[in-house]
Structure formats: C-alpha cells, structure tokens
Amino acid sequence: MNQGPHSAAGRPAAAVAMTDYEFCSQYDLYGHMACPGCGEKILLRHILNVLGPETVIVCPAGCAAVTDGVFPHSISPVPFLHVPFDATPAAAAGVRAGLDLSGRKHVTVLAWAGDGATFDIGMGALSAIAERNENILYVCYDNEAYMNTGIQRSSATPYGGWSTTTPKGQLKAEPKKNIGAIMAAHRIPYFASGSPAFLDDLTAKVAQAKRLSGLRFLHLLSPCPPGWKADPRDGITLARLAVESRLFPLYEIIEGTHYRLTHESSGAGFDEYLQLQGRFRYMSAGDRRILQADADRFYAQLTLRHNRNGETTVIGEEP
Amino acid sequence: MPELAVSSGSMSWNKTGSWRSSTPLHIDKTPPCNFNCPAGENIRGYIDLLKHYQTAEAFELLTSANPLPAVCGRVCFHPCQAHCNRHGFDLAIQVRLLEKFIGDWGLEQAPTKPLPQTSGRKVAVIGAGPAGLAAAYYLRRKGVAVTMYDDHALPGGILEYGIPAYRLEKDVLQAELTRVLTGIEFHPGMKFGRDFDIGALVEYDAVFLATGAHQSKRLHIEGENIPGVESGLGFLQQLNSGEKIDVQSHNVLVIGGGNTACDVARSAYRLGAHVTLLYRRTEREMPAFAEEIEQLRAEPIHCEFLVAPERITRAENGTLTLTAIRMKLGEPDESGRARPVAIEGSQFTLIADRIFAAIGEDPDVSFFPNAQQHDDGEFDFSGVDARLAGKLFVGGDLLPNPRTVPHAVGSGRLAAEKILAQLRGEPLVAHDCVVEVAGPEDINYRYFTRINAVKWQTGLAAGGALSEQSAHAEAERCFSCGVCSKCDNCFNFCPDLAVIKSAGGYQVNLEYCKGCGICAAECPGGSLRMRQQ
C-alpha cells in the first residue's frame, strides 16, 4: 500500500477546489512502467484529477498494478491497495467499511480493474457488491484481453479478435460480453461507458459518478498498442474510431433502466479501426460483417431506449 | 516486516526517456494563408485573436503588415482563401470578410495613437498609391519625417482613381487614408518631372519612388486613335474624379480580360450602357481575379470570348465599326496559357458608340530618360543621377510583380524596412527564406466537422458585413495550420505526463517521454512532429 502525500487515512477532509489538471500536475507521476502509448495511464490521470486527493485505489493483478511502480516505489498520488485478482470488489467493500467506521464517508473508494479482473475473474464478487449497492466507484479499464500476462483472450475480447489463446484459424468466436446489461440488471445507480478520445465526456461522467453514492460503474476503453498490434501513436485515434464506428458507443444507464447516449456515433471508420490493428488482421470479410452488424444492432437498441426516455436530444431515427 | 508492505518512494528515478526511439518536436510551420499573402500579413495570427474576441489586438497585428485593412478587405483578391487548407474540405475561411471586419472596426473604434517624434531623418515618397502609402505609414511610425508627392489632387492612386466606388466605397477609402496619412506631409498635384525634379529631392535621406502604371497599352490596330476609342483606365479615372460620362443606352465594347476590363465593363453597365466584353482567349484564361470574373458573369454583360479586334472605322454619324476575328486556342505560350490563333476568314463586325481598350497598363518613367529596363520588366534606376546614388528605392507597379494592391502594400512595407535599415547604417536582416508550408497532410481532419458551405456562407454574408459574433464563429473554423493553437491535446493525451505547459506553449520532458507519438498524431494543426533519433 502506498501512503501517498495526500493520504486519505492521515488527513481530515479538506475542501480542495480542483481546477484543470491541478491535482496530477503537482505530483511526481513520472517514471511509470506502462508501455509507450498506454491508454490506462491517460485514463487514470484524468479520473484522479476529478476525484482529487480524498481517494483510495483498490487494484487487482493486471497492467495497472504492475506499471504503477516497482516495490517499494509507486507513482500513485493516493493510497493504492494491491489485492488478489478475484478480490477487487470484496477488498473495496472492506476498505469502504473501514473508512465508514472511522468516519471517513467522504473518501472515494476507486476500484481500478482491467477487463480480466472484471468480466471474468472478479465477476462473482462484482455481482455481490452490485447487489448490495456498496458505496464504491468501480472503474474497468478495458483493453480487451489479458495484456499483462501475454495477450490471452478475455470475455471482453471482441468477436473475431486475435489473441495468443485465440490464434489465427481459431479467432474468438464469441461476442464481447455486454457488461452494461449485466450492471443494469443489478439496478445500480449509475453505469457509463467512456473513451480517452472523448475527455470532456469522460470527465463529466466521472464527476457525475463522484456526486452519486452506491455502486457506480464506469466501463472505459483503454487502447493497448502492444496487445492490439497497433502503432503506439494511434492509441487515441483508435479510441475515437471505436466510438464513431459504434463498436464502443458512449452511453449511460441510470438506475438500471434509463438509457442515455452521450455521443452520437457517426457510424464511420469501422474498416479503418480494424485496419489499424494487427489483432483483426486474420478476420474474414464475413466475420467483419457479423461484427459490424452486431455493433449496429446494439447501437440501434441504445438509440431506441435513448429516444424512448424522452431525452430532449433525439439521436438518429428510430429503427 | 511491517504488517502491510508499503511503498514510500516515487518512480521518478526511472528515466523512461531512454526507451524512446523518436522525439516529439514543436516546430511551427508557415500557414498557407500567411505564406501566400502578398502583403505579408499574419492572417492566422489575427484570426486566432478574433477567436478570443480580441478585435483591437487583431487590428494591431493586421496593421503591422498592412495599413489598409478596410481597403484590402474589399479589393484584395485573397490568395489566402484559395490556398486555405479548409478549401476543399468544406469552405475556405472567409478571410476577405474577416479582414473587412477588422478594417471597419479600425475605422470606427481604433484608438489614435500618438506618433513618435521625428528624429530629423527625412524621406520623400513619390506616388500616393498603396505602395507609397504603406512605405510612408511605416516610416512615419519609426520617427522618420515623410513628405509625399502625387500628381493627382487626392491621395490613394489606383484606390481613388482606378477602383470603382461599387467595389470600394469612397467614404471608407477616405477614412482609411486619413488615418494612414496622419503626420505625413502630403503635396497633391505635384508630378515628378513636371512640377519638381531631382534637385528638390537632394535634401532627403532617401527617396521612395512608386508612381504606378498608368499608361494604357496600345491595341496596335488600325483606327485605335479615332475619337470614341478610349483607354479603359482613363474612363475609370474620369468616373472616379466625378466627371459625368453619358453612355446611357450606348453600345459599349470593352476589349481585354483583366481586372481593369472587368471594372470598365461593370462600371459602364451601371451607367446604363449595353456592354459587350471582348477577350481573345476563353474565360478560363482571363487574368482578372476569379472573384471579379464571377461578379462580371453574374451581371447582364455580354462576353465574346476567343475574339480579337483587327480594325476600327468611324462612320459620319459617329458610329464605330469594329472588325474582329475569331480565335482558337493553340499551344501554351511563355505565360503558360494557351496562345490564341486566328481562324482564317472568320472576320465579323460589331457596331458600337464607344470602345474602351483595357489590355493592360505600363509604368511611365519618362522622368528618368536614361532608366534601363531588364527583360523581366524590372527597372534599373541605378545610373539615372549621381545625386540619388544609393538613396533611391522603388516599389509598387514599378517592380515586376503582379499589379495588385496587396503586392504594392507589401513592396511599400519592405521598402520602408530597407530604408530604415539603411538610415541606421545596418544591412537589412534577411527574413527566413526556407519555410515549410503546412499542407492538408499536416491537418488532423478528425478534429473538424464539415459544415454546409452554401448555408454557412449565406448566413455569414447576411447584411454584407460580419458582426462580432459571426466573425468569432468564422475564426473558430480556422485549423491554425502548422501553428500551435494551444488546444492542450498533446498535454491531455500524453500517457507519461511528459508534456509540460509553459507560458509560450508546451515543452516535452525528454527525461520521461517514451516517444509513443500520440501527441504528434493528435495535434490538429500539425505543429508537432516526431523525429527519429
């Protein structure tokens, strides 16, 4: 555990007015071990900027845990608790209980887990804290495979994607798990998806999540150049194309029922998104069509729900 | 061991910069608008100021290169727009309207700044056209006393006597000239070589000569000197001097395809004449500015292309008969345009009351009988008189430049810089000659949404002038090609926090930059690039 300079455990609650980038810029966040172009580190610094120093991070095995630093060193400006792979939700609930008992209800508990620890390994415990509506902000940085251990497929890997366990000839035959629907089924107060290419949208969602209490879940796309077999410089471009091509639409679910699209995806850039990544190189034209049709269908569903909610901004036309 | 292992140190010892194989560099390129401005305006710069509603600062920046923004906002052909990287994407930034907006703001609201005391240095400027005005303006603002001579009664040169009032309102011109001429001694009606000569110039530290091109080119055909056949520029001068010209219901022929020909044709049409314009090539080869041609074609003026005049005769009742011959386009000539070739036996005649020849103008340098002219059209005045040796500077249409107002303004400002350098006894510091111009390949188009060009243009032009709000909206569309617009993308998207905000923009912390290249890829205007190490 890193006893950060603004340790939540050691200081009374202070009203810290956060302006743009103030928080992260004043700390020595240099020297982390993430690969060039890592999306997770872009996401984390912007999230921490919104959450501020009164935060405790609970992090399972994964890229975030490894790249944070080499023991006894860490880049984290706030306490950063390393926990077993499957135990993020349980440990976060424990930290929450401890903070609450010691009168620090205002401190945000941030569960910061990859797609492996969220979609697969920690799924049971995640369902438990969702059902109990624990006061935790759970954020999944989704790089769509077990990147840290050598690019093994997870249930977040997209249909037709390559990984070392879904090699050429045996590409992933199952579609990506719909984590939004799972969280919505638990009727948690707030679910939202986000992308580092849309920072205003992302920070607004983090701020909204911070305002609410109960279990809040953010599902963020985290570009991974080595795992996606892409040029590191294209990370943000890919994060944008994923949204525009409707493979990763930006939306919110409030109280498990109220769906809201926060960005109208143009539908363009699907082919470019696949072309820029080696992990989609082996996909057949038929597989591409299936993937695109699936994305379009999901987006149409979101549109329908968005418009039925009586949102003032009507997105697209009802299918 | 403690109950719980705790990290206490930072990772800053881990200098991840050593992982890097290429380095991001903030190197500004030249925006195409700036590069193509004959007057040398920092167009991107003042557009950026308009983005922030800093109209006063924009006026300051614009007039640091061009003292005539209200004029140029109306009469310039704006090559900046033709080279705008937004042109082809949706619609070029309407620099013309922005320049006019800033110029008009200046006429109404610019604070009068006190001029510096004159230092005792004196410069004579001969010719009060755009070149002379620009030179005088910048010299005076550096404390040089300027005496200006012009053979006309009013200053402005081509602006006053050549450009019709429907393109440049007289009150606008007058207001702008009043500002420019503040603190300058102006002697109207003084023609060099007639009313004064070199002897009067000896007392000056330098002389700037910009007498322009007023001598209409001859048609070199039979009958071009008979009454009723006149020069187009002369017609415009008469008109602009307020003379009454009666061409109501007359048949008027205009020969030529340049800006003067267009102005003559459109002015005559406004006086009620039936106008036919004859040009020996096609519309595509017309040397007039695209905008002028477009406006000409929008008016009920008949154009005969691929036609050359051969002979003019005059009947007893004064009716003129022009015999013309049809042409076809042949091989390209030295100007790159197709050479017109006569079609044998295709002669035909046209009847007219007045014929205006507007096939170009030449400078009149008869005041220096021994002036040499090089093949490229450049005059050599170095040997004209020992008393002027090393003191004579020329500009405007006496230079072999395209004959446009912004070219003249640019030459005037450059002459002022040269004169100032000479007065200080310093060599003129050469501007960077090698520039890299930001092209479409430098722009990250993902950051810009296409607008409906027609709809946008109609909305902007409502009322003919921009409001502060619409100027801001138009400026917001600027890509800021090749120049950092401080959008924060490089700072925001750096996974390693290696981009640091500094007062002048951004710096890269090379100790930690891993060289991923996201900052360069996400730079909207292309001022960041990666260099291999």
Side-chain angles (χ1 to χ4, degrees):
Chain A
M1 187 170 175
N2 171 34
Q3 206 88 23
H6 267 254
S7 160
R11 281 191 172 210
V16 181
M18 282 302 133
T19 56
D20 274 2
Y21 321 113
E22 205 176 73
F23 182 52
C24 278
S25 299
Q26 62 185 295
Y27 290 103
D28 203 4
L29 301 187
Y30 300 118
H32 63 72
M33 305 293 285
C35 312
C38 180
E40 183 259 328
K41 286 290 176 275
I42 303 175
L43 292 168
L44 184 59
R45 61 177 267 221
H46 288 286
I47 292 170
L48 286 178
N49 266 320
V50 178
L51 297 181
E54 304 285 350
T55 304
V56 176
I57 298 176
V58 179
C59 180
C63 291
V66 174
T67 59
D68 176 65
V70 184
F71 182 79
H73 304 274
S74 163
I75 61 155
S76 180
V78 297
F80 190 108
L81 181 65
H82 292 267
V83 301
F85 219 153
D86 59 343
T88 326
V95 171
R96 177 79 272 162
L99 286 167
D100 288 354
L101 279 173
S102 57
R104 280 170 282 202
K105 286 182 187 288
H106 60 278
V107 175
T108 305
V109 176
L110 170 66
W112 180 241
D115 51 299
T118 306
F119 285 62
D120 299 347
I121 295 177
M123 196 65 196
L126 176 62
S127 177
I129 60 162
E131 188 268 335
R132 296 198 304 272
N133 197 24
E134 295 275 0
N135 188 18
I136 292 166
L137 171 55
Y138 193 108
V139 184
C140 171
Y141 61 92
D142 180 4
N143 51 28
E144 304 195 318
Y146 291 82
M147 296 309 184
N148 174 50
T149 51
I151 323 176
Q152 292 85 9
R153 63 89 94 182
S154 75
S155 56
T157 305
Y159 174 84
W162 167 93
S163 71
T164 52
T165 47
T166 52
K168 188 181 174 187
Q170 290 170 283
L171 298 170
K172 189 162 182 272
E174 305 80 19
K176 184 182 175 96
K177 193 185 270 184
N178 185 346
I179 195 78
I182 294 171
M183 297 321 291
H186 290 81
R187 299 187 205 174
I188 58 168
Y190 189 65
F191 168 92
S193 65
S195 156
F198 296 83
L199 283 177
D200 289 347
D201 177 84
L202 174 73
T203 49
K205 285 168 174 170
V206 177
Q208 174 64 6
K210 190 188 177 189
R211 273 192 290 274
L212 298 168
S213 58
L215 188 71
R216 297 137 287 160
F217 189 103
L218 299 182
H219 178 209
L220 310 182
L221 186 65
S222 177
C224 175
W228 293 5
K229 304 293 168 208
D231 192 319
R233 63 176 289 150
D234 288 334
I236 295 297
T237 304
L238 290 171
R240 180 177 297 107
L241 288 172
V243 172
E244 292 297 354
S245 66
R246 300 176 177 167
L247 282 163
F248 202 93
L250 299 181
Y251 67 108
E252 301 173 322
I253 312 170
I254 296 134
E255 299 292 347
T257 50
H258 191 101
Y259 280 68
R260 203 174 149 260
L261 276 164
T262 58
H263 174 84
E264 188 168 357
S265 298
S266 65
F270 179 83
D271 290 333
E272 193 185 357
Y273 180 69
L274 299 193
Q275 269 158 22
L276 284 171
Q277 301 175 68
R279 63 173 172 154
F280 293 116
R281 189 188 305 159
Y282 308 115
M283 261 179 114
S284 68
D287 280 347
R288 285 167 186 243
R289 273 200 298 278
I290 291 171
L291 181 63
Q292 188 167 22
D294 195 46
D296 287 344
R297 198 160 40 239
F298 181 55
Y299 188 80
Q301 242 175 50
L302 288 175
T303 309
L304 195 67
R305 285 174 156 157
H306 171 99
N307 291 340
R308 279 192 186 162
N309 285 333
E311 288 289 339
T312 43
T313 51
V314 175
I315 301 248
E317 280 175 28
E318 289 207 8
Chain B
M1 284 291 280
E3 244 176 82
L4 191 64
V6 175
S7 294
S8 52
S10 88
M11 284 293 289
S12 56
W13 51 268
N14 187 24
K15 307 280 193 244
T16 50
S18 62
W19 304 8
R20 193 174 61 240
S21 65
S22 57
T23 304
L25 294 169
H26 273 104
I27 300 176
D28 283 358
K29 294 183 183 175
T30 306
C33 47
N34 290 11
F35 181 74
N36 287 289
C37 179
E41 292 175 10
N42 182 355
I43 296 170
R44 189 219 67 90
Y46 64 69
I47 290 179
D48 192 54
L49 291 167
L50 287 180
K51 272 185 201 173
H52 301 96
Y53 294 101
Q54 291 171 298
T55 313
E57 287 80 357
F59 177 76
E60 195 64 28
L61 182 62
L62 173 47
T63 49
S64 71
N66 182 348
L68 302 163
V71 167
C72 280
R74 288 166 172 81
V75 305
C76 179
F77 64 114
H78 290 96
C80 46
Q81 291 188 197
H83 291 88
C84 178
N85 280 330
R86 199 135 193 161
H87 178 72
F89 177 70
D90 47 15
L91 173 74
I93 304 294
Q94 302 294 296
V95 183
R96 188 177 67 83
L97 291 170
L98 294 176
E99 190 173 31
K100 186 172 165 221
F101 169 75
I102 297 171
D104 289 351
W105 179 92
L107 296 184
E108 282 166 22
Q109 304 190 40
T112 37
K113 281 196 177 174
L115 290 168
Q117 290 284 317
T118 49
S119 61
R121 297 287 194 173
K122 294 194 297 183
V123 172
V125 172
I126 304 173
L133 289 167
Y137 180 87
Y138 292 110
L139 286 169
R140 183 61 191 84
R141 264 146 196 79
K142 290 287 179 196
V144 176
V146 180
T147 312
M148 202 170 202
Y149 299 93
D150 195 274
D151 57 343
H152 290 96
L154 293 171
I158 194 82
L159 305 174
E160 177 66 46
Y161 293 102
I163 294 172
Y166 64 85
R167 279 180 62 203
L168 175 58
E169 303 94 305
K170 289 294 169 207
D171 56 333
V172 170
L173 175 63
Q174 204 182 2
E176 192 129 82
L177 289 181
T178 306
R179 192 189 67 239
V180 171
L181 286 172
T182 311
I184 290 163
E185 196 184 321
F186 178 58
H187 296 286
M190 294 285 279
K191 189 175 166 73
F192 183 48
R194 184 189 69 192
D195 305 311
F196 66 107
D197 58 12
I198 297 170
L201 300 176
V202 176
E203 58 169 312
Y204 294 101
D205 295 297
V207 175
F208 179 59
L209 187 67
T211 48
H214 298 294
Q215 213 163 27
S216 290
K217 280 186 179 154
R218 289 161 46 83
L219 287 169
H220 294 292
I221 60 169
E222 186 191 325
E224 68 173 302
N225 293 325
I226 57 178
V229 184
E230 291 157 42
S231 99
L233 194 63
F235 166 73
L236 291 177
Q237 280 176 355
Q238 285 174 354
L239 194 63
N240 280 313
S241 307
E243 282 181 42
K244 288 274 173 286
I245 303 170
D246 183 21
V247 288
Q248 178 77 37
S249 309
H250 285 192
N251 280 322
V252 167
L253 295 181
V254 180
I255 301 168
N259 291 317
T260 310
C262 293
D263 283 348
V264 171
R266 296 180 64 200
S267 297
Y269 163 69
R270 278 166 177 66
L271 293 173
H274 305 293
V275 185
T276 304
L277 183 132
L278 308 179
Y279 179 54
R280 59 190 183 136
R281 293 184 171 99
T282 68
E283 185 178 338
R284 228 158 43 120
E285 284 85 17
M286 279 174 81
F289 304 144
E291 207 170 274
E292 281 253 353
I293 298 171
E294 203 178 293
Q295 288 166 356
L296 172 85
R297 300 295 277 155
E299 292 182 355
I301 291 167
H302 181 64
C303 295
E304 284 276 355
F305 294 108
L306 291 166
V307 164
E310 277 202 327
R311 190 170 62 248
I312 302 170
T313 55
R314 187 167 192 266
E316 285 291 315
N317 62 358
T319 308
L320 301 166
T321 305
L322 175 88
T323 308
I325 185 163
R326 301 240 176 243
M327 313 293 275
K328 63 181 178 194
L329 292 181
E331 293 298 306
D333 63 7
E334 62 278 359
S335 74
R337 295 176 301 168
R339 188 191 299 276
V341 184
I343 304 170
E344 285 296 324
S346 66
Q347 276 88 350
F348 65 103
T349 55
L350 289 162
I351 307 296
D353 301 304
R354 297 280 276 266
I355 296 176
F356 294 112
I359 58 165
E361 296 85 30
D362 284 323
D364 175 11
V365 293
S366 54
F367 42 76
F368 287 143
N370 53 346
Q372 308 283 317
Q373 191 170 16
H374 297 303
D375 289 343
D376 63 357
E378 186 170 2
F379 288 100
D380 183 359
F381 297 118
S382 57
V384 290
D385 196 297
R387 288 171 290 175
L388 290 179
K391 296 206 303 196
L392 186 63
F393 297 82
V394 293
D397 288 353
L398 294 180
L399 296 176
N401 285 339
R403 300 220 170 108
T404 76
V405 175
H407 279 96
V409 167
S411 77
R413 200 194 66 247
L414 192 66
E417 284 175 26
K418 280 185 190 166
I419 291 170
L420 288 167
Q422 174 155 326
L423 293 181
R424 284 194 303 265
E426 297 164 3
L428 180 71
V429 182
H431 293 282
D432 289 340
C433 292
V434 186
V435 291
E436 211 178 327
V437 180
E441 68 282 357
D442 291 306
I443 309 300
N444 188 337
Y445 284 97
R446 291 184 212 285
Y447 283 99
F448 306 102
T449 30
R450 275 196 173 80
I451 51 149
N452 181 326
V454 177
K455 228 164 133 186
W456 181 265
Q457 222 169 357
T458 325
L460 268 184
L466 297 180
S467 64
E468 192 185 11
Q469 207 53 45
S470 51
H472 171 78
E474 182 62 6
E476 280 283 335
R477 295 201 304 125
C478 175
F479 289 163
S480 188
C481 305
V483 180
C484 175
S485 60
K486 306 198 173 45
C487 70
D488 277 359
N489 273 5
C490 55
F491 173 82
N492 276 336
F493 291 136
C494 178
D496 303 298
L497 270 162
V499 178
I500 304 160
K501 280 199 207 188
S502 61
Y506 306 92
Q507 281 181 328
V508 180
N509 185 343
L510 294 176
E511 278 198 312
Y512 297 103
C513 166
K514 293 170 184 165
C516 67
I518 286 182
C519 50
E522 299 306 317
C523 182
S527 71
L528 246 179
R529 68 185 83 173
M530 300 302 289
R531 181 172 290 170
Q532 285 292 319
Q533 284 184 319

